[in-house]
Amino acid sequence: MIIMTPILLILLGATEMLQADLLPAEKISLLPPVNFTIKVTGLAQVLLHWEPNPDQEQRNVNLEYQVKINAPKEDDYETRITESSCVTILHQGFSASVRTILQNDHSFLASSWVSAEVHAPPGSPGTSVVNLTCTTNTTADNYSHLRPYQVSLHCTWLVGTDAPEDTQYFLYYRYGSWTEECKEYSKDILERNIACWFPRTFIHSRGRDWLVVLINGSSKHTAIKPFDQLFALHTIDQINPPLNVTAEIEGTRLFIQWEKPVSAFPIHCFDYEVKIHNTKNGYLQIEKMMTNTFISIIDDLSKYDVQVRAAVSSMCREAGLWSEWSQPIYVGNDEQKPLRKWLLFVFMATICLILLILSLICRICHLWTKLFPPIPAPKSNIKDFFVTPNYEGPVLLPKLEYNSMIKAHRNFKLLGSRNLPIKTGLEACTTTSG
């Protein structure tokens, strides 16, 4: 019982405090703001302003306001002040509402809504431009120390489908508080403006403000409906390719190095992609990194082309577009090395020498004749029928008889019988039949 008493006292005190918090809210009746207006203060920019209701009871409570955007895109937010600036497209009109709110941890009170609107600008349907696209690009300005980088702007569009032939369009851009009209246009065959070029702008390449582009027009036949569009810089900024890309091969290693693109962002704000293409077998390798160097293991008997591109890292800005690839750099050689050529020559010469030696051996040993004997000519019976031999060939004596006859002939000479009419065996041996 003694322990329960402090607990009951604590609960009773908390209940009284809760009722005290709810009491002002229950007794206060919230009234809507008054004099709510919407004023156009610039291209695609409006100012919402209202005043507290003078009949609203003041009981030392902090009143807030809830703002709701109805068109062209729904949105809502809360604020303690009595005005709010909004960047939005206006060619479709704009409307918003506001109300008074009171909220704490235990309750929520709100007044009724009050609304205001800005009507859409006049113009015939189908006469405004379509497919508006814009890109920005950063260049180095060596003549200005205050702004070492300049941002250019290029926009293109198509003529409205129902726009008369004499329609002429005019472009304006706003960045921050600066608004500028285009001076350099490109035209179609009917001399209508279809593109605009700003070589120098007041756009900050590292800025986060919206870029607003408005295109209106004129015609003698009808009112041309204007068109405006918002661009986030990170979605249209065309980053420059990396500078001074170099590549060299040492053995089987390919070393690639480059410098950051021309940009107002520092060196640590870039991501890179390296593309290595083997021209011999068509193999393509793409690697992503955050540093400005890369080493790859390659085949030293192939030729490669190397390219690098860049993008601003998400650490410094929302992810955007990749740059174009740098110009290709060719390294390596797909021709065979001299040593390999020499080895190939020695190999072919050795084969030829072996074949020559085998050919000589075959000739000496008559292997060719034995392996490939000559084919005998066919016997001609017709020729044998018409040809008849008319002489007898010489009679061949045995070798022993021939030697005896030679010896007798020599003896005869030694006896001096030169005039004897006797025919020697050798002479008889050489007679032929008549």
Side-chain angles (χ1 to χ4, degrees), residues 196-218:
C196 171
W197 165 250
F198 290 92
R200 298 168 65 92
T201 67
F202 288 87
I203 301 172
H204 196 291
S205 61
R206 295 178 61 180
R208 298 178 182 272
D209 293 339
W210 287 96
L211 173 67
V212 180
V213 176
L214 168 69
I215 301 179
N216 57 24
S218 63

Side-chain angles (χ1 to χ4, degrees), residues 176-249:
S177 60
W178 184 264
T179 301
E180 189 174 3
E181 180 183 1
C182 181
K183 297 295 190 295
E184 299 184 23
Y185 288 101
S186 299
K187 301 178 181 295
D188 63 4
I189 58 175
L190 298 178
E191 292 298 315
R192 296 177 294 190
N193 297 334
I194 57 171
C196 171
W197 165 250
F198 290 92
R200 298 168 65 92
T201 67
F202 288 87
I203 301 172
H204 196 291
S205 61
R206 295 178 61 180
R208 298 178 182 272
D209 293 339
W210 287 96
L211 173 67
V212 180
V213 176
L214 168 69
I215 301 179
N216 57 24
S218 63
S219 172
K220 296 180 180 179
H221 304 284
T222 186
I224 304 301
K225 192 174 182 64
F227 179 82
D228 56 354
Q229 188 169 336
L230 303 179
F231 295 95
L233 289 184
H234 70 276
T235 63
I236 65 172
D237 189 19
Q238 186 64 58
I239 303 297
N240 294 300
L243 297 175
N244 300 328
V245 180
T246 59
E248 60 180 8
I249 295 177

